[in-house]
Amino acid sequence: MTISAGLVLLFIAIPLLTTLTAPTGEILLETLNDADVLKSVWLSMTTSAMAAGLAFVFGTPLAYFLARNDFPGKKVVESLVDLPIMIPHPVVGIALLSLTSPNMWFGEFLQSMGVTIMGTRTGIVCVLLFVGMPFYVNTAKSGIESIPRRMENVSRSLGAGSAATFFRITLPLCWRHMLVGMIMCMARAISEFGAIIIVAYHPMIAPVLMYERFTAYGLTYSQPVAVILIVVSMLFFLLLRSMSLPKSEAQ
Amino acid sequence: MIRLTALHMDLPGFTLNDVDLHIRKGEFFALMGSTGSGKTLVLETVAGLAPLDSGTVEIGGRDVTKLPPEARRVSLVYQDHALFPHLTVLQNVMYGQRYHGIPKERGRREARDLLDALGLARLENRKPARLSGGEKQRTAMARALACRPDVVLLDEPLSSLDPQFRGELRHTLKQIHEDMGATFLMVTHDFTDAMVLAERGAVIKDGSLHQQDTVTNIFRRPATPFTASFVGMTNVFPARYDNGSCAFAGHSFDGLPGLPEWRAGFAALRPEDVIVGTAADFPAEWHIMEGTVERLEREGFTWTATVRCSGQSLTAMVDRHMVLNRGLGIDSPVTVGFAGEHLHHMPKDV
């Protein structure tokens, strides 16, 4: 058992470590000064964070509804929520593009509102939200399920409306689950590539830039970008994770 | 104060069947029933937490059927307390005050008075996780009372407590009710709790109300076989009534007082009103039956015997002399006797 567990850990760690240690200091420094690289990493982080924020705003009501209600067809709705996890990423990109193309009524509507999806930051956030949403909704849902219904009932009977009950009882008791959900949503978003290159090759997010450097200049020049993205996201996620841990109760 | 009219709810595997209930202002009312009888569901409909298919709920003359829970001025106390774990005892108690127009400073004073009265003053800064069962229960009570509700709904308030705290909290509950003047509706499976606390009550089984009366009347004159066994009249027999005689368990009895008009119904006896002995042991006016002992169980200082009388089983109290000196045992032929006024009669259909 120990051997197989160790093998799995090595399987994950070795390729990453190799990548991390591959670039020479000189190339790494050069890359760090490359405005395109920094821009793309920044774009990756911000668009993913925005997707996570939007998932929180729009996914929480759905998570709440699914956690608190049983209805015929609930399994179908839950599978629908999970669907973005399963379908191939280029399909996501193609689906979003075809929906928003100007010859579709929805695309026409978007165009009249001045919203463009193809090749824009909006398009990137859209794709990331699409692929990250299931992670947020499922985590938030299980968090809400862990809070007894009766607590909300008592709060209501004491005079707090459903919104007040949510903000005074439900949210304080499960914000950690929601934060973990947002972290997972964002993590999923940062790693997205397949759908992005279809919807928005430009502006370039870090994975696209990496791909471009790889095809144009080869491994040596794509590795440093990877290193920067890995280090930045790892630091960021460690920070968020530590926030989401329950603080030890002081006696 | 509370009037429930024809409450009806169809749930998978359960139906709340046209429940009518009337609870007077300032009264302590006990809704009794066993697990799964629908009693908690009735409580939740009063609170506005369970969706009704039909029927109306009136509180204080106001039709609240369509109102959300927060607009009904009813405070709910659940069996498992449902204290808010992230708030201290004092914060829990003060939780609802702001929605009832109680200013913060006055609210805090009132909350502290309540905690004081319930013996929780020392604990106001504790989190619920560090309270004992009884302390949790009293905190939940204080939280419900602190927003001065018209109605307090109690879901099995005593059943999660150890016996020694139980008597104490019963007393506290009664005291609070007398001091507050609010209407209390309690749901319980324990008839003793109802006897001690409530003036009036109702018995519910499988979503249908069986009886609604003063608790004393329910105890003395249960209306249905189920109510009878619920209040401790565990010997219930199908009985035939004819020309001043009553026949059950293979025996026919004459000269019983207060015989009903119906011809078929149920006759019931409390085990403590049925005595096992021999024919010579009973006063002449008592009624006796012949049977054999099926089971004999020691219950503390007394024995209980299950006696078989022509196909019917009957539970009876046994005097210790019968067992220790006269050698009563399994399969002993015995005579059981009861006084006529202890026999309770119920009609076949309600």
Side-chain angles (χ1 to χ4, degrees):
Chain A
M1 204 173 69
T2 337
I3 294 170
S4 114
L7 280 176
V8 170
L9 286 178
L10 285 178
F11 180 65
I12 297 173
I14 286 182
L16 284 178
L17 279 173
T18 325
T19 313
L20 277 175
T21 50
T24 60
E26 195 187 337
I27 298 183
L28 196 60
L29 254 172
E30 191 187 319
T31 319
L32 268 173
N33 285 319
D34 182 340
D36 281 346
V37 171
L38 295 185
K39 228 165 67 188
S40 74
V41 171
W42 177 245
L43 184 66
S44 265
M45 299 297 287
T46 47
T47 48
S48 306
M50 271 167 78
L54 288 171
F56 171 71
V57 173
F58 294 104
T60 307
L62 175 63
Y64 190 87
F65 181 81
L66 288 175
R68 286 297 187 231
N69 292 286
D70 274 317
F71 51 90
K74 186 176 176 179
K75 283 269 172 290
V76 178
V77 176
E78 283 172 338
S79 320
L80 188 68
V81 171
D82 285 340
L83 208 55
I85 301 177
M86 294 174 259
I87 48 178
H89 300 178
V91 176
V92 175
I94 289 165
L96 277 174
L97 264 194
S98 51
L99 175 67
T100 55
S101 82
N103 15 350
M104 284 285 288
W105 66 269
F106 187 69
E108 212 174 336
F109 168 75
L110 282 181
Q111 206 170 35
S112 70
M113 301 279 291
V115 180
T116 329
I117 296 295
M118 178 95 187
T120 62
R121 205 178 278 256
T122 321
I124 296 173
V125 175
C126 257
V127 170
L128 300 188
L129 183 60
F130 189 94
V131 297
M133 191 62 113
F135 293 90
Y136 176 74
V137 171
N138 288 334
T139 319
K141 179 175 133 229
S142 68
I144 294 164
E145 278 168 347
S146 72
I147 297 164
R149 184 75 184 256
R150 292 176 161 222
M151 260 177 223
E152 294 176 345
N153 285 353
V154 168
S155 164
R156 298 286 299 273
S157 94
L158 292 171
S162 43
T165 297
F166 179 79
F167 286 108
R168 290 186 73 193
I169 304 299
T170 318
L171 193 61
L173 290 176
C174 73
W175 67 267
R176 286 203 172 86
H177 282 92
M178 292 178 178
L179 184 59
V180 170
M182 286 169 74
I183 293 173
M184 288 175 52
C185 172
M186 191 172 160
R188 174 67 188 80
I190 280 192
S191 63
E192 180 53 37
F193 170 72
I196 292 286
I197 53 158
I198 289 176
V199 172
Y201 194 89
H202 288 284
M204 268 190 212
I205 58 166
V208 177
L209 183 79
M210 246 180 274
Y211 177 71
E212 200 204 39
R213 295 270 157 112
F214 174 68
T215 47
Y217 310 107
L219 214 46
T220 336
Y221 285 91
S222 65
Q223 272 165 343
V225 187
V227 171
I228 293 168
L229 186 65
I230 291 173
V231 170
V232 170
S233 18
M234 222 156 69
L235 287 176
F236 187 71
F237 286 125
L238 274 175
L239 178 78
L240 283 177
R241 269 284 178 194
S242 66
M243 269 168 69
S244 76
L245 290 176
K247 59 173 191 290
S248 55
E249 291 280 312
Q251 280 294 310
Chain B
M1 186 68 203
I2 305 176
R3 191 179 287 277
L4 309 178
T5 316
L7 296 188
H8 197 93
M9 209 186 298
D10 278 310
L11 301 171
F14 182 82
T15 304
L16 196 63
N17 205 355
D18 296 328
V19 169
D20 289 300
L21 215 56
H22 177 222
I23 298 157
R24 296 177 191 142
K25 192 169 170 52
E27 178 168 70
F28 202 127
F29 192 96
L31 182 60
M32 297 166 268
S34 26
T35 313
S37 61
K39 55 191 195 312
T40 304
L41 205 57
V42 173
L43 202 71
E44 291 188 330
T45 51
V46 177
L49 295 163
L52 279 174
D53 290 332
S54 63
T56 57
V57 180
E58 282 171 59
I59 298 174
R62 185 167 66 123
D63 185 347
V64 299
T65 317
K66 298 273 183 294
L67 287 185
E70 59 269 24
R72 297 191 178 200
R73 299 185 59 85
V74 297
S75 289
L76 185 60
V77 182
Y78 273 121
Q79 178 180 7
D80 58 4
H81 328 301
L83 293 174
F84 307 135
H86 57 305
L87 303 178
T88 65
V89 167
L90 185 66
Q91 286 167 335
N92 262 284
V93 175
M94 290 177 64
Y95 183 86
Q97 290 177 330
R98 67 170 78 167
Y99 306 110
H100 293 81
I102 303 170
K104 194 155 187 176
E105 276 316 306
R106 197 160 99 232
R108 182 174 292 129
R109 225 169 30 241
E110 286 182 13
R112 289 212 164 108
D113 287 347
L114 266 171
L115 289 177
D116 228 7
L118 289 164
L120 297 165
R122 288 176 305 110
L123 308 173
E124 67 166 58
N125 291 321
R126 280 221 193 148
K127 290 279 179 68
R130 296 182 53 227
L131 297 177
S132 73
E135 287 162 355
K136 280 183 191 155
Q137 184 66 48
R138 281 178 285 152
T139 307
M141 276 303 300
R143 180 178 62 181
L145 299 171
C147 48
R148 305 196 211 122
D150 296 332
V151 175
V152 180
L153 303 174
L154 302 164
D155 178 25
E156 303 270 7
L158 301 165
S159 60
S160 64
L161 300 177
D162 292 340
Q164 76 254 37
F165 295 123
R166 219 172 149 137
E168 200 183 305
L169 196 73
R170 242 185 223 154
H171 179 77
T172 318
L173 258 180
K174 209 174 167 66
Q175 196 65 49
I176 290 171
H177 174 248
E178 279 161 16
D179 296 345
M180 283 257 311
T183 308
F184 279 48
L185 169 56
M186 169 178 79
V187 149
T188 180
H189 68 262
D190 186 344
F191 189 70
T192 326
D193 287 346
M195 279 281 266
V196 177
L197 288 165
E199 294 118 50
R200 295 198 322 125
V203 178
I204 188 170
K205 180 180 188 268
D206 297 335
S208 297
L209 223 51
H210 273 228
Q211 188 171 6
Q212 182 174 182
D213 206 334
T214 64
V215 174
T216 322
N217 277 346
I218 295 175
F219 182 71
R220 286 211 197 123
R221 291 191 286 279
T224 66
F226 172 75
T227 312
S229 53
F230 191 78
V231 302
M233 260 182 214
T234 42
N235 296 311
V236 181
F237 308 103
R240 300 201 53 77
Y241 301 88
D242 199 13
N243 289 328
S245 76
C246 166
F248 62 88
H251 292 70
S252 181
F253 304 96
D254 288 310
L256 286 165
L259 277 186
E261 284 156 21
W262 51 78
R263 295 181 64 83
F266 295 95
L269 279 166
R270 293 178 183 283
E272 57 269 33
D273 290 338
V274 187
I275 309 292
V276 175
T278 51
D281 293 328
F282 300 108
E285 68 275 17
W286 276 45
H287 302 276
I288 54 174
M289 295 188 260
E290 306 296 334
T292 49
V293 176
E294 209 172 42
R295 258 198 345 258
L296 197 61
E297 275 157 24
R298 186 163 189 163
E299 292 189 359
F301 299 109
T302 60
W303 274 264
T304 307
T306 309
V307 179
R308 197 113 189 118
C309 296
S310 40
Q312 300 274 356
S313 283
L314 171 134
T315 328
M317 297 277 280
V318 180
D319 186 277
R320 70 191 148 89
H321 296 295
M322 287 296 297
V323 182
L324 299 176
N325 303 340
R326 287 154 74 171
L328 184 79
I330 307 287
D331 291 333
S332 306
V334 286
T335 306
V336 292
F338 61 91
E341 68 267 25
H342 290 152
L343 191 65
H344 175 70
H345 307 284
M346 292 166 287
K348 190 129 206 156
D349 309 296
V350 200

